[in-house]
C-alpha cells in the first residue's frame, strides 16, 4: 500500500488481510496490528481485517472487545465466509463490522440450488438492513454476476474478474496513478 502511495497513487485501495481465530484471541492483538502498520508507514484505515465467523463466535465477549479496539484504531473489519459458521444474529449486531463476505459455496450453487439462493438473498437483505456492505465471494460466471446485481449485492469478487496475481500485474491491469 505504501509503495503504491509513494508511486503517486492518490488513493490506493484498502488491502484485506485474513486474521485467524488464534490471532484475534491473542493478548494485545489490536496493539500489535497497529504497531505493524505504523512500522510500515501505512494508516490503519488502509487495512481491512477479515475475520471468520468462528473467530468471532467462540469467545464473543473477547472478540467484541478486540474488534472494538481495532475499529477505534482505524481498521475496517469484515466477516469472511459468512454463512458457514454458527453466528448469533444478536452478536453480529453488536460487532463493529462494516462488511459481510458471503461464502463462495453459496454463491457457486445459488443458480442451481434454491436453498443457496435463499441464503444469498437473505444475507444481502439482512446486511442492508444492518447498514453493512456485502461482498459475494467466488463469482465465476456472468450469470452469477447478473443474479447478484439483481439482488443488489454491493460488491463481488472471483475468477470472473481475475485470479490471484502478483502486485505488479495488479498495478498494470487494475490500478491507475493519480
Amino acid at each position: 500500500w505504501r509503495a503504491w502511495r509513494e508511486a503517486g497513487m492518490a488513493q490506493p485501495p484498502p488491502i484485506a488481510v485474513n486474521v485467524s481465530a488464534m490471532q484475534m484471541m491473542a493478548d494485545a492483538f489490536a496493539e500489535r496490528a497497529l504497531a505493524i502498520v505504523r512500522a510500515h508507514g501505512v494508516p490503519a484505515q488502509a487495512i481491512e481485517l477479515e475475520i471468520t465467523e468462528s473467530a468471532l463466535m467462540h469467545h464473543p465477549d473477547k472478540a467484541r472487545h478486540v474488534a472494538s479496539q481495532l475499529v477505534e484504531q482505524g481498521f475496517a473489519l469484515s466477516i469472511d465466509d459468512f454463512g458457514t459458521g454458527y453466528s448469533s444474529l444478536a452478536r453480529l449486531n453488536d460487532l463493529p463490522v462494516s462488511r459481510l463476505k458471503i461464502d463462495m459455496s453459496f454463491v457457486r450453487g445459488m443458480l442451481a440450488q434454491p436453498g443457496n439462493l435463499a441464503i444469498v438473498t437473505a444475507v444481502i437483505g439482512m446486511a442492508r438492513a444492518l447498514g453493512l456492505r456485502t461482498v459475494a465471494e467466488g463469482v465465476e460466471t456472468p450469470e452469477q454476476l447478473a443474479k447478484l446485481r439483481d439482488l443488489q449485492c454491493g460488491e463481488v469478487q472471483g475468477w470472473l474478474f481475475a485470479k490471484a496475481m502478483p502486485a505488479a500485474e495488479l498495478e498494470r491491469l487494475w490500478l491507475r496513478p493519480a
Side-chain angles (χ1 to χ4, degrees):
W1 190 94
R2 187 181 78 203
W4 288 331
R5 181 73 179 185
E6 289 173 352
M9 186 174 295
Q11 188 62 23
I15 294 178
V17 176
N18 288 313
V19 176
S20 73
M22 183 181 289
Q23 289 171 310
M24 183 75 174
M25 294 301 113
D27 290 336
F29 173 71
E31 292 83 5
R32 278 200 315 272
L34 186 60
I36 289 169
V37 294
R38 284 183 176 162
H40 291 281
V42 175
Q45 293 80 3
I47 305 297
E48 178 175 327
L49 300 174
E50 294 186 357
I51 303 162
T52 62
E53 278 183 271
S54 61
L56 296 171
M57 298 304 153
H58 286 352
H59 301 285
D61 293 333
K62 184 168 185 177
R64 185 175 41 254
H65 177 71
V66 173
S68 294
Q69 287 180 315
L70 291 164
V71 169
E72 286 170 12
Q73 293 172 355
F75 293 99
L77 298 181
S78 65
I79 298 181
D80 197 17
D81 302 331
F82 189 78
T84 61
Y86 302 98
S87 286
S88 158
L89 297 181
R91 287 187 186 138
L92 174 63
N93 196 35
D94 288 339
L95 292 167
V97 298
S98 57
R99 181 188 317 219
L100 297 181
K101 297 186 79 175
I102 305 167
D103 188 71
M104 68 177 67
S105 63
F106 300 117
V107 174
R108 285 185 181 151
M110 72 179 180
L111 298 179
Q113 300 168 344
N116 283 358
L117 179 58
I119 290 169
V120 170
T121 303
V123 171
I124 292 168
M126 178 187 65
R128 187 177 305 114
L130 292 171
L132 304 174
R133 297 185 335 234
T134 52
V135 179
E137 298 179 308
V139 178
E140 297 179 352
T141 70
E143 294 80 15
Q144 290 169 333
L145 177 61
K147 186 61 175 177
L148 291 162
R149 282 183 175 151
D150 288 344
L151 295 173
Q152 300 177 4
C153 183
E155 300 171 41
V156 296
Q157 69 182 53
W159 286 3
L160 178 62
F161 307 100
K163 295 186 178 185
M165 64 183 71
E169 189 174 350
L170 176 72
E171 291 170 29
R172 183 176 59 77
L173 294 173
W174 294 91
L175 304 178
R176 305 281 184 250

